[in-house]
Amino acid sequence: MPSKPLARTLCASFALASTLVSAAIVTTPSGVLNGSGSGVSDPFAFDAWMRMNVRVNSATGITNAFPRSGDGSAWMTLADGSGKADWGYYRTGGFGTLADLSGASFDWYRASTSTNPANQMPAFRIVVDIDGDLVNSTTDIAYLVYEQVYNEAGGWSAPTDAWQTSAIGGTTNLWVFQPGVGAEEVFNRTLADYQAGTYTPTMGWSQITGNSRVLGIVIGIGSGWNGAFTGAIDNATLVMGGAAPLTFATNFEVSLPPPPVVVAKPVPVGGPEAMAALGLGLALLAWRHRRRIRA
């Protein structure tokens, strides 16, 4: 999660507008990033996926370990409770207001070799600027966190060794993490509640509303998990409505698909210009022949 200096950089830069390219096949950053200490990350960049907060005994990268929708996915692993690994994407100018968020989805995989609690799977976080002001207030960042366990009946366990798809909509339960404040342990508040802004936040936490601005998404594992985890994520999607609707979709792949094979159509010798001239010449000959017959 961004530090306060990074949060200031994010919000200052989000004031600029940019055009989103949808449905991207993502093959970079390539290789596997091994974590250390309190976390390492790729150099920060807008409009690009980054491996973030990869802590000691953790690793992540685009690999073919668990291919999905092609030859790869974003593989991630941790060995114990000190581990963590995220993938994050921040759009220049943000994606729009929270009120305009129509929904989101992603695919995830939990390997049966995982020993952490069975109800834990990669979490999907929607990053927002709480008051929607990207210029004058730059540290009011919050995360709306999706975990499937809070959207299932008691006793739910994440399926293993098979890809799953989770979707986020108006009735989906999300909880809040606010840097500098912590995790607000209210797990039955829906996306629609935040969009309406009519709920009462816990003392110390700021109120998120429909005017809060969606800055990006962060998907990841860990931070206090008890045990080891191995799995992957893919096909992250965010759908925005409003005056400027857009769909942001990502498919992580090890390699780009081959370009389509273009079969050239045969062209007559001499090319189209020559054929046009030939046609005109034949028409003239026919006209002269008709004149001779009449004469």
Side-chain angles (χ1 to χ4, degrees):
M1 298 179 181
S3 62
K4 289 186 178 180
L6 176 54
R8 295 188 187 96
T9 301
L10 288 174
C11 290
S13 300
F14 283 148
L16 303 174
S18 70
T19 301
L20 179 69
V21 177
S22 300
I25 294 177
V26 175
T27 60
T28 58
S30 60
V32 171
L33 180 62
N34 293 297
S36 65
S38 60
V40 295
S41 303
D42 291 311
F44 183 84
F46 288 100
D47 308 314
W49 281 97
M50 301 163 286
R51 299 164 297 189
M52 306 173 69
N53 308 316
V54 186
R55 297 181 185 169
V56 65
N57 299 327
S58 308
T60 188
I62 301 173
T63 75
N64 60 5
F66 305 115
R68 177 68 163 173
S69 305
D71 68 357
S73 63
W75 170 86
M76 48 184 56
T77 188
L78 55 81
D80 52 41
S82 62
K84 181 175 174 59
D86 292 328
W87 281 80
Y89 187 101
Y90 291 88
R91 187 191 181 205
T92 303
F95 285 92
T97 65
L98 187 62
D100 290 337
L101 177 62
S102 299
S105 65
F106 72 117
D107 296 346
W108 55 271
Y109 187 99
R110 176 185 166 113
S112 57
T113 54
S114 303
T115 61
N116 62 308
N119 60 11
Q120 291 177 334
M121 36 73 75
F124 189 103
R125 308 176 188 95
I126 302 166
V127 190
V128 299
D129 177 273
I130 296 172
D131 67 2
D133 185 342
L134 307 183
V135 177
N136 299 308
S137 58
T138 59
T139 60
D140 57 331
I141 303 296
Y143 297 78
L144 294 173
V145 185
Y146 171 84
E147 292 185 88
Q148 190 152 332
V149 63
Y150 300 118
N151 291 274
E152 299 285 350
W156 177 82
S157 294
T160 61
D161 297 337
W163 279 97
Q164 309 295 319
T165 299
S166 290
I168 298 170
T171 60
T172 303
N173 292 326
L174 306 170
W175 59 273
V176 174
F177 180 87
Q178 191 174 332
V181 183
E184 185 181 15
E185 296 185 353
V186 178
F187 302 113
N188 62 349
R189 196 181 291 150
T190 67
L191 172 61
D193 293 330
Y194 295 109
Q195 290 174 316
T198 55
Y199 71 96
T200 301
T202 306
M203 184 176 296
W205 278 264
S206 300
Q207 186 159 24
I208 296 168
T209 72
N211 292 325
S212 300
R213 192 160 189 85
V214 178
L215 306 179
I217 56 178
V218 176
I219 311 172
I221 60 173
S223 189
W225 286 13
N226 181 21
F229 175 88
T230 297
I233 58 170
D234 207 350
N235 294 324
T237 302
L238 193 71
V239 180
M240 305 295 295
L246 61 87
T247 298
F248 170 79
T250 290
N251 179 14
F252 295 109
E253 298 292 355
V254 174
S255 57
L256 291 170
V261 177
V262 178
V263 179
K265 295 182 179 179
V267 178
V269 176
E273 294 83 0
M275 292 303 296
L278 177 60
L280 178 60
L282 291 174
L284 288 172
L285 286 175
W287 178 73
R288 290 171 181 168
H289 180 68
R290 286 195 298 273
R291 290 196 63 184
R292 291 193 191 98
I293 292 174
R294 295 192 187 102

